[in-house]
Amino acid sequence: MKAGGGVLIAGQAWSWTADHPKENTLHHFDGNKVSGVAGIYFSKNPAEEENLPVYPQIPSSYMAVVVGKDFEDDLQFLLDGVSELAIPNGSLASEVMVHGPLAFPIGVANGGQAFLAGAYYGQGRVIVAGHEGVLSAEANAPFWKNALHWLDEGRRGVVGVALKNGIKIATDSGLKMEKTGIKKDLSVFVSPSNPKIHWEEIQNFVAEGGGLLIGGHAWYWAQSHGGKNPMTEFGGGFANVAYLTLNSNPVKLYQKPGKANFKLIQYHFRHLLHRFANHVALQETLSKHEEEFLKKLGSDCSTYLNMKAHDSCHYSQVVTTLTDILKKSGMPQVSEKCPVKSPKDHLLLNIGAEVYKVCPNPDDLLPYLIRDNPLLPVVHNHRVKIDVSTEGGEEWISTGLYLSPGMKTYVAIPADIVNKGWQIQIGCQTDHLNAAELKRASCVHVRFPVNSEMIQVSNLWGGLIYLVAPPNTQAQGLQAFVQMAVPAPYYKSGVTTQAEWSLLCTAPSPWAELEFDNIILTVPSDVVRRLDHPDKLAVLWNDIMKAIADLAAKPHKFPRKERFVADVQISHGFMHAGYPIMAHRGSATGLVDVDHVKTKGIWGAIHELGHNQQRGCWEFPPHTTECTCNLWSVYVHEVVFGIKRDKAHGALTSAKRNNRLQDYIKGGKKLSSWSMWMALETYLQLQEKFGWDAFKKVFAAYHKMNNFPKDNKGKMNLYAETFSQTVSMNLTGFFKAWEWPIEQATEEKLSSLPAWTDHPMTNFS
């Protein structure tokens, strides 16, 4: 067979198994000694003889997505005398995706994430550990003694070790150990997770009867190889060996120092998928235990489908099974009024988009996933101008176009940006949700690499269309063309006229965008339908952003326009900073209502813009994380809106400020309680003495510095020194009164400056 010959073999193993009850059918039945090398096994399960039709395609059914063995004898052997594993403190393992019919979890953590698993492969066996630290800990010798003998299968052969620092676990096994690479005369090979060798040698070694022990983690590799798929590319594509795949999900292994949360759990990806398919197709009742793991099953299905191993019959079986499930049950029509709560609905919602991406006929599946999908009017051959200069982070270029759910279109790309790291993004909602109650799917945006001059794009959930420019890139005077899409209400100050907006504001897209000099607001379209004067809103936001830049001592033109997206649900908080800044849908009206902003303010929105201005060199986490961003809120409300601080936020009334200060004093002035509003009081006292210009000069001074301290103590001393020199006054007494850890060396540096002796904390020093 290895040389290319074909073998036709037939038989049954159930009778042999009955006569050999203590032997392993998969490895010891004679027929399996031949066919097992190809990963095809005679099982011990009897079946009725039938006359079956023959189809041209490979048969695929949820009935085939089963676990090929119960593994009870394997687990008894492996876990004999083992109750827990020693783990280096702080270790983060990679989850081991257990997805083969002859693969099984051994050790799990965090409610079902496997970090240790085994499998049969051909005539051999495999064990995978999600962290190399599990291999090197001497306290784990009892388990690894069992494991090596399980892999050796009684041959008492040589254990070859290729790990960089070697391992001690084999020395107590009674088997001979040799430090070497893979070679044919080994019985067991111990390998790192990403060896610099060809995986074909290892696959042949295991398929022909060898044992493989492999340990390592993939999550760091995934973080440092953006855009690559760890399921298929890490370790040369280990997913092809034994159907045990290291993925990028980190697993925290320990609950107490040095010990793993090591236990067995009755969860197996293929088994639960088979049970869930029976539940949908035959209305079989799931146990409470099985229902608890449906959400994890949905997550595992998504991870599995991302392998896109279309040439694998096992992969095809899973895709077909999930497609059948969705056609029988449909996908929950999630919305704000109809949130998803149950584990079953979580699973169906999770897999819907992923199956849609990989199934052979997505158009046939679409009606089962999106029920209310009206046809919207479209425009054709829409031109998108590309003039971009990114200074650091990536940048989204708005097209003013929207794709309906499942709608396909082509984008014609200028040759200058092909294979240069550009992407096309469908969808503005980039938050990944992980909540018990979902008002939309966890992930509703998709990206496509710009790797040709004509690209077809679509998204199950629909969404606004963007070109995504990579960091540090220049592109001027270029044009892209979108073949067909739905027009969106899109206003760009200085470009869109009032007459054009009067028509655009009625465009059918459910999402609208307002682009001003330094910020872009993405909101539900119903928020802007009656926005008669976007030019007035543009003036207001231009003033806000100029003020943001002024306080930060930066040029008025931002290197990248800020973005706001108002979504039905976000990943955390009432709003959160980033690119884009995410806000709840209810905040959208306030962002576009000029009168409301000028009279009531928008504290939260400016707070998030302040977060985006924070710099680690003058931040003292966790104390000031939610504090210094509020300097921008106070400044903008006072300078742009004319709203004084005690009116801008209820926490800044004189009474509340005084009460907090008194509580801080009574509590012993501990830095542990110096955070958020309490910490802001320190900065407000400085501002009320020295004015906003002092802060601008301090921030400007930091722009010219480098080699900053990394610890809070060092950074706080640098801040005290910088502020003192900026205002030509020794402020060390003030900061010490707040219990900042001011060093004697800092006091000596500033001793020639006049001291601030009448500061607000004088009576409390």
Side-chain angles (χ1 to χ4, degrees):
M1 283 192 291
K2 189 173 181 180
V7 174
L8 175 61
I9 187 170
Q12 46 79 20
W14 62 266
S15 178
W16 181 93
T17 301
D19 295 335
H20 301 79
K22 294 184 179 180
E23 295 195 48
N24 188 317
T25 305
L26 296 179
H27 276 190
H28 296 152
F29 176 64
D30 288 341
N32 283 334
K33 293 176 182 178
V34 178
S35 64
V37 179
I40 302 170
Y41 300 89
F42 293 92
S43 81
K44 63 182 181 181
N45 303 320
E48 294 293 332
E49 184 179 355
E50 298 179 76
N51 291 320
L52 299 174
V54 177
Y55 297 100
Q57 67 269 28
I58 296 174
S60 187
S61 163
Y62 78 89
M63 296 298 291
V65 185
V66 294
V67 180
K69 192 178 184 295
D70 61 19
F71 307 111
E72 182 178 350
D73 54 338
D74 301 287
L75 289 169
Q76 285 180 348
F77 188 100
L78 288 165
L79 300 177
D80 182 34
V82 179
S83 60
E84 61 185 3
L85 293 178
I87 306 294
N89 284 344
S91 296
L92 278 180
S94 281
E95 182 178 9
V96 183
M97 179 76 178
V98 183
H99 55 86
L102 294 175
F104 59 98
I106 301 170
V108 299
N110 298 343
Q113 287 182 288
F115 66 90
L116 187 64
Y120 287 79
Y121 180 77
Q123 282 291 292
R125 297 176 175 182
V126 178
I127 288 179
V128 176
H131 197 285
E132 55 273 28
V134 182
L135 300 180
S136 59
E138 292 185 49
N140 296 332
F143 173 78
W144 292 119
K145 179 180 179 180
N146 297 344
L148 290 171
H149 280 279
W150 184 78
L151 293 168
D152 176 68
E153 295 191 70
R155 293 184 293 267
R156 302 197 66 81
V158 177
V159 178
V161 181
L163 289 180
K164 183 178 180 181
N165 299 320
I167 57 170
K168 299 178 181 179
I169 60 170
T171 58
D172 297 326
S173 67
L175 301 174
K176 182 180 178 181
M177 184 180 73
E178 180 181 333
K179 195 164 186 179
T180 179
I182 184 71
K183 57 182 184 178
K184 292 183 178 180
D185 60 355
L186 297 175
S187 176
V188 178
F189 181 54
V190 182
S191 170
S193 59
N194 199 14
K196 296 179 180 178
I197 57 176
H198 296 293
W199 271 113
E200 186 176 351
E201 291 181 73
I202 290 181
Q203 286 179 280
N204 288 336
F205 171 76
V206 179
E208 294 170 15
L212 174 66
L213 170 58
I214 188 165
H217 56 279
W219 57 264
Y220 180 78
W221 183 93
Q223 290 177 358
S224 55
H225 292 75
K228 293 192 174 182
N229 188 342
M231 296 286 286
T232 55
E233 298 181 74
F234 175 74
F238 186 62
N240 296 323
V241 179
Y243 304 99
L244 295 173
T245 307
L246 290 169
N247 66 32
S248 58
N249 298 332
V251 182
K252 189 175 182 180
L253 289 180
Y254 65 95
Q255 288 186 328
K256 55 185 179 179
K259 300 295 182 182
N261 178 19
F262 176 74
K263 58 183 178 179
L264 289 176
I265 199 157
Q266 289 73 42
Y267 170 81
H268 191 289
F269 169 66
R270 294 180 72 89
H271 175 73
L272 187 53
L273 177 56
H274 178 74
R275 290 282 297 123
F276 184 70
N278 277 346
H279 169 70
V280 172
L282 306 175
Q283 287 75 54
E284 290 186 3
T285 303
L286 298 175
S287 69
K288 183 178 180 181
H289 176 81
E290 289 171 327
E291 288 182 346
E292 289 173 351
F293 281 97
L294 287 181
K295 188 175 179 181
K296 174 168 174 52
L297 177 62
S299 175
D300 283 353
C301 286
S302 296
T303 302
Y304 180 85
L305 292 172
N306 279 326
M307 284 193 291
K308 300 178 181 177
H310 296 287
D311 57 346
S312 164
C313 64
H314 294 299
Y315 185 86
S316 298
Q317 287 170 354
V318 172
V319 171
T320 300
T321 298
L322 293 174
T323 303
D324 289 345
I325 287 172
L326 289 166
K327 285 185 175 181
K328 286 183 174 71
S329 66
M331 187 177 71
Q333 302 302 288
V334 63
S335 68
E336 188 170 17
K337 295 180 179 179
C338 188
V340 160
K341 300 177 183 179
S342 72
K344 177 179 177 179
D345 283 347
H346 267 277
L347 188 160
L348 294 170
L349 186 62
N350 203 338
I351 65 174
E354 301 304 326
V355 174
Y356 178 77
K357 293 176 188 175
V358 300
C359 71
N361 192 351
D363 291 338
D364 180 54
L365 182 61
L366 184 61
Y368 299 94
L369 305 180
I370 306 292
R371 292 176 194 155
D372 183 17
N373 194 14
L375 289 175
L376 300 178
V378 299
V379 293
H380 296 273
N381 300 321
H382 184 88
R383 181 178 63 178
V384 180
K385 295 181 179 179
I386 303 174
D387 286 294
V388 65
S389 177
T390 58
E391 301 176 20
E394 68 178 26
E395 186 170 336
W396 303 0
I397 301 172
S398 300
T399 64
L401 299 173
Y402 169 84
L403 280 184
S404 296
M407 179 181 176
K408 297 181 178 68
T409 194
Y410 284 93
V411 182
I413 301 292
D416 302 50
I417 64 173
V418 173
N419 292 321
K420 298 290 179 62
W422 286 66
Q423 298 177 86
I424 299 170
Q425 176 175 302
I426 312 299
C428 59
Q429 307 146 275
T430 52
D431 261 11
H432 288 255
L433 306 182
N434 182 20
E437 180 176 302
L438 293 176
K439 298 177 183 178
R440 68 158 171 83
S442 295
C443 179
V444 292
H445 78 286
V446 294
R447 283 189 171 186
F448 301 85
V450 174
N451 51 20
S452 68
E453 293 185 40
M454 187 66 72
I455 302 170
Q456 187 183 58
V457 297
S458 67
N459 182 9
L460 172 64
W461 308 106
L464 292 172
I465 305 174
Y466 301 93
L467 293 174
V468 182
N472 304 311
T473 191
Q474 307 285 327
Q476 276 78 39
L478 302 179
Q479 295 182 140
F481 291 88
V482 179
Q483 175 208 28
M484 179 179 67
V486 178
Y490 174 53
Y491 175 87
K492 186 172 184 178
S493 56
V495 175
T496 309
T497 65
Q498 185 66 36
E500 289 171 335
W501 174 249
S502 64
L503 296 175
L504 278 172
C505 69
T506 64
S509 160
W511 286 97
E513 288 200 317
L514 305 169
E515 181 170 350
F516 307 133
D517 288 356
N518 284 306
I519 195 167
I520 303 169
L521 308 177
T522 307
V523 296
S525 292
D526 56 9
V527 173
V528 304
R529 296 294 188 205
R530 297 182 181 180
L531 179 63
D532 296 327
H533 294 285
D535 53 331
K536 293 181 179 179
L537 184 64
V539 171
L540 176 62
W541 273 102
N542 290 343
D543 289 343
I544 292 171
M545 299 308 291
K546 286 177 183 176
I548 297 284
D550 283 340
L551 182 57
K554 293 180 178 179
H556 284 172
K557 180 175 172 53
F558 279 47
R560 175 178 69 178
K561 295 183 181 184
E562 297 276 20
R563 279 185 175 272
F564 263 95
V565 174
D567 197 0
V568 66
Q569 187 175 5
I570 65 177
S571 58
H572 59 275
F574 177 69
M575 294 184 183
H576 70 76
Y579 183 83
I581 295 169
M582 296 299 301
H584 286 278
R585 179 188 174 99
S587 303
T589 301
L591 295 175
V592 303
D593 187 332
V594 174
D595 292 336
H596 173 87
V597 172
K598 287 185 174 181
T599 56
K600 303 294 184 180
I602 43 171
W603 182 278
I606 309 302
H607 171 99
E608 302 306 338
L609 288 166
H611 269 308
N612 283 356
Q613 294 301 320
Q614 287 175 319
R615 294 186 62 198
C617 54
W618 44 259
E619 275 295 295
F620 319 127
H623 311 294
T624 58
T625 304
E626 294 299 325
C627 159
T628 51
C629 53
N630 285 326
L631 290 172
W632 276 266
S633 291
V634 176
Y635 181 76
V636 169
H637 279 72
E638 292 188 341
V639 173
V640 180
F641 308 151
I643 303 174
K644 293 183 179 180
R645 61 194 62 182
D646 60 337
K647 302 294 184 183
H649 198 288
L652 295 184
T653 63
S654 296
K656 289 189 177 180
R657 288 178 61 184
N658 287 332
N659 288 340
R660 276 196 302 271
L661 186 55
Q662 291 299 326
D663 290 342
Y664 184 69
I665 303 304
K666 291 176 183 177
K669 296 190 295 184
K670 296 176 181 177
L671 276 181
S672 59
S673 60
W674 185 76
S675 62
M676 202 170 175
W677 299 112
M678 194 69 264
L680 183 62
E681 185 63 29
T682 305
Y683 295 93
L684 292 180
Q685 289 179 355
L686 288 169
Q687 191 278 328
E688 286 162 357
K689 170 65 176 178
F690 301 105
W692 288 116
D693 280 349
F695 280 89
K696 296 175 185 179
K697 291 175 181 177
V698 167
F699 291 138
Y702 271 92
H703 292 323
K704 300 175 183 178
M705 298 183 198
N706 49 40
N707 299 321
F708 300 103
K710 294 183 179 179
D711 61 299
N712 276 356
K713 183 178 181 180
K715 291 194 290 184
M716 293 171 96
N717 275 271
L718 177 60
Y719 191 87
E721 179 184 341
T722 304
F723 213 114
S724 294
Q725 290 174 342
T726 297
V727 299
S728 300
M729 185 175 286
N730 185 347
L731 306 181
T732 55
F734 168 75
F735 288 113
K736 287 176 70 177
W738 275 101
E739 291 299 315
W740 280 31
I742 301 300
E743 297 174 326
Q744 185 176 350
T746 303
E747 294 186 75
E748 291 174 356
K749 282 183 185 179
L750 301 172
S751 59
S752 62
L753 295 175
W756 185 16
T757 57
D758 60 345
H759 60 76
M761 303 295 287
T762 302
N763 295 331
F764 309 115
S765 301

